[in-house]
Amino acid sequence: SALEPFAFLLRTSVSPGVRLRLLHTPRQAWNDDSPPPPPPRPPRERKMTDVEKQADAIVHAVVAVELLHWHGKLGGTLENAFRKCVYSPALPRLQRLTNRKDSADDFKIDMKTGRKLSRPSRVHDAALEKQFTLGYAFTDVALKALCRSDNGIWLPLARYQARKELNLADVEPEEDPQAKDLVAFSQGVIRSGGKELVQVSTRSVGHGDAKQNIWILPVFVDHDRSSHAERQALLVLLEAAPIDSVSEGVKDGVTGQMRVYASHTPCISCLSSMCQFTRCFEGADIQVTYDTWKETRRWIGLDPPDEIPSEDEEEEK
């Protein structure tokens, strides 16, 4: 019977020789005199903290700015408010990540030995963790302010190579892409003592797990962003650079240049990684350019659009 499992539990949990008897109780009949108990109350919704409310407001502001910019309507009050509340607080936090001196407190570096007393796994910065991106328009403004913007002479090659990889990978042109499907195109050169150590003329890098470097850390916003393609492109080039065992950055006297193209607007974590590249590789310059996903998705996917039915087909229906 349905009670047999319970009888087994009782038999195995009592002392030998003790007799047990299962009592059968009749089912309760609900009526007007004996109404059923009220349904359980739904769980209370957790109230958002002030920090969460502020972060949620910033997300909505970013989405609004993106839509207005795409339709050519960005300007006026909303643009100024976004610049004041989101962009301006984030810019100095990004600026400090561009060199080791300004960000030395993150690692508690011993100035005598150069040893790091703290080894964080990500950038701990409340100002940067509030938004997942600065959006297409203000990411470009930030790159120019940080001297990392590019004139885009090599942009056609970067677009062609990146979009070719997306097509080869059969990436679907969805409205909102997944980070694991995105690709970053990069070029780079590393020199030492007047000799060229490494030259990368064309390289497309996707979502991956390159060798980590303590100087280029991700920013955690909603989820782990350490494997994003733009950050991976930086780390892949650094794998070929001579690294100092003490500072854990590229050795003094080594110079280089790097270009990165992103097929999607860089998130705040990737943007911060682009800032951190020069604190890891102090003798290098980096230029960045990118497209919106709405532009990239137009060029990927081999399936033709749905055919519009003819008038005769419409009449047959």
Side-chain angles (χ1 to χ4, degrees):
S1 66
L3 297 176
E4 184 61 27
F6 298 96
F8 171 76
L9 292 175
L10 290 172
R11 288 197 300 267
T12 57
S13 60
V14 299
S15 303
V18 178
R19 298 182 62 185
L20 296 175
R21 184 175 61 179
L22 295 177
L23 300 178
H24 296 273
T25 57
R27 293 184 178 181
Q28 177 68 49
W30 308 117
N31 50 46
D32 294 339
D33 296 331
S34 179
R41 294 181 180 179
R44 293 183 179 180
E45 294 185 4
R46 188 178 69 87
K47 292 184 178 180
M48 298 176 64
T49 64
D50 292 340
V51 174
E52 291 174 331
K53 288 180 180 178
Q54 186 178 12
D56 187 61
I58 290 176
V59 169
H60 285 85
V62 170
V63 174
V65 168
E66 287 278 80
L67 289 173
L68 290 173
H69 180 268
W70 177 256
H71 292 286
K73 301 296 183 180
L74 180 61
T77 304
L78 181 58
E79 180 181 1
N80 293 332
F82 188 89
R83 183 184 297 272
K84 178 181 178 181
C85 299
V86 180
Y87 170 77
S88 295
L91 183 62
R93 310 308 299 170
L94 293 169
Q95 182 69 51
R96 78 177 189 89
L97 297 175
T98 59
N99 61 83
R100 300 179 189 180
K101 181 180 178 181
D102 292 344
S103 56
D105 289 343
D106 295 350
F107 305 94
K108 297 179 172 58
I109 298 176
D110 187 338
M111 294 304 177
K112 293 182 179 180
T113 62
R115 181 169 168 265
K116 300 177 184 66
L117 304 179
S118 175
R119 302 185 65 84
S121 60
R122 59 187 175 91
V123 175
H124 296 274
D125 194 310
L128 298 180
E129 292 170 348
K130 289 179 181 179
Q131 62 275 320
F132 64 95
T133 182
L134 294 180
Y136 179 83
F138 280 92
T139 295
D140 183 57
V141 174
L143 288 171
K144 290 178 179 178
L146 296 164
C147 301
R148 279 158 172 73
S149 183
D150 190 74
N151 57 13
I153 294 176
W154 53 284
L155 182 59
L157 172 63
R159 282 174 168 167
Y160 170 75
Q161 294 290 346
R163 292 167 183 173
K164 181 177 73 173
E165 293 298 328
L166 291 171
N167 278 306
L168 289 174
D170 293 327
V171 174
E172 295 292 333
E174 304 289 349
E175 283 285 345
D176 190 14
Q178 298 184 23
K180 65 181 180 63
D181 294 331
L182 298 177
V183 65
F185 172 85
S186 63
Q187 294 177 321
V189 61
I190 301 175
R191 303 183 183 92
S192 178
K195 296 181 179 180
E196 194 171 276
L197 302 179
V198 179
Q199 182 180 18
V200 179
S201 59
T202 172
R203 175 186 283 160
S204 296
V205 181
H207 193 271
D209 189 19
K211 184 179 179 181
Q212 302 298 304
N213 188 286
I214 190 66
W215 292 110
I216 302 183
L217 301 174
V219 178
F220 187 93
V221 184
D222 297 329
H223 59 267
D224 180 26
R225 298 170 183 265
S226 60
S227 298
H228 283 195
E230 297 92 323
R231 179 172 179 266
Q232 295 299 309
L234 306 177
L235 294 175
V236 168
L237 181 67
L238 290 174
E239 287 180 343
I243 302 296
D244 185 87
S245 59
V246 177
S247 68
E248 299 180 76
V250 178
K251 291 182 178 180
D252 294 338
V254 180
T255 60
Q257 292 178 315
M258 189 173 189
R259 291 170 170 172
V260 177
Y261 162 80
S263 55
H264 185 280
T265 304
C267 68
I268 195 69
S269 178
C270 294
L271 182 58
S272 70
S273 295
M274 295 164 183
C275 294
Q276 296 172 75
F277 181 76
T278 50
R279 76 175 182 181
C280 176
F281 195 167
E282 294 183 315
D285 293 323
I286 180 173
Q287 287 82 39
V288 180
T289 188
Y290 58 93
D291 276 322
T292 63
W293 177 247
K294 288 184 178 181
E295 176 64 26
T296 299
R297 68 190 291 261
R298 295 173 57 237
W299 301 92
I300 65 173
L302 302 179
D303 294 334
D306 296 334
E307 294 184 3
I308 300 176
S310 64
E311 294 182 0
D312 295 336
E313 291 175 340
E314 287 289 343
E315 291 177 359
E316 291 178 359
K317 292 181 179 180

